[in-house]
Amino acid sequence: MNDFRLPSLGDKHHLEYRVRKEKTVPFLYDECVEFQRMPHVFATGFMVALIEWCCIDALAPYLKPGQGSLGTFINVTHQAPTPIGMKVMVEAVCDHIRRSNNVFWTVTARDECDIIGIGRHGRHLVEWDRFNQRVAGKEATLGHS
């Protein structure tokens, strides 16, 4: 059985990040011509990753060596553009814990002018050894090593 320590409901965590050019829409997939035509504003995909980063950091003090978390749920809006150089602040509030290894967060992302994203994010706590064995099993079915 898993032995995870967990945050408390209502616990908050904050993360700040200044947007660099490499975190704008044209840098999402260089194979996609349409992305290359879009403006250099903070990309939704990178905003989601920043939200995940905030929640990973929030869980870090509770995890033992060999434990980690994986994003398993995301439901967020991206409602305002953020230009290069502007700071983005993410707040995550623990709002639900299920089966003692699924932690959910209400998340809000703001830049220096607007709320740019709101929603929820869920992370599943894992033992890395067990998870890596599962991945290796899948790779074996494809003949990868």
Side-chain angles (χ1 to χ4, degrees):
M1 181 159 146
N2 296 325
D3 181 28
F4 297 110
R5 291 178 43 230
L6 300 165
S8 298
L9 297 179
D11 281 0
K12 294 181 182 180
H13 192 75
H14 298 88
L15 180 67
E16 293 186 0
Y17 180 81
R18 191 161 306 276
V19 176
R20 299 185 340 242
K21 183 177 181 179
E22 297 80 17
K23 301 303 181 204
T24 62
V25 178
F27 288 87
L28 283 171
Y29 281 97
D30 58 359
E31 305 93 335
C32 178
V33 174
E34 292 306 313
F35 280 148
Q36 304 314 307
R37 295 179 181 145
M38 292 185 186
H40 285 273
V41 293
F42 193 40
T44 302
F46 290 121
M47 183 188 76
V48 167
L50 191 63
I51 287 167
E52 288 201 72
W53 181 3
C54 183
C55 295
I56 289 166
D57 279 358
L59 287 169
Y62 300 98
L63 301 176
K64 298 175 187 173
Q67 295 179 335
S69 69
L70 300 165
T72 56
F73 177 82
I74 189 76
N75 183 5
V76 295
T77 63
H78 192 176
Q79 52 199 53
T82 302
I84 297 167
M86 191 168 275
K87 186 170 31 172
V88 175
M89 294 76 61
V90 177
E91 178 183 76
V93 180
C94 182
D95 69 16
H96 183 73
I97 297 171
R98 185 177 66 212
R99 292 190 309 251
S100 60
N101 65 346
N102 289 282
V103 182
F104 293 84
W105 309 84
T106 299
V107 293
T108 305
R110 294 177 168 80
D111 64 21
E112 297 171 67
C113 298
D114 298 305
I115 290 177
I116 64 168
I118 55 173
R120 289 190 79 223
H121 176 52
R123 300 200 65 78
H124 182 80
L125 304 177
V126 297
E127 301 284 349
W128 286 127
D129 286 345
R130 185 173 173 202
F131 179 80
N132 290 334
Q133 288 173 357
R134 186 172 180 203
V135 172
K138 281 190 167 189
E139 289 174 337
T141 66
L142 297 172
H144 299 162
S145 52

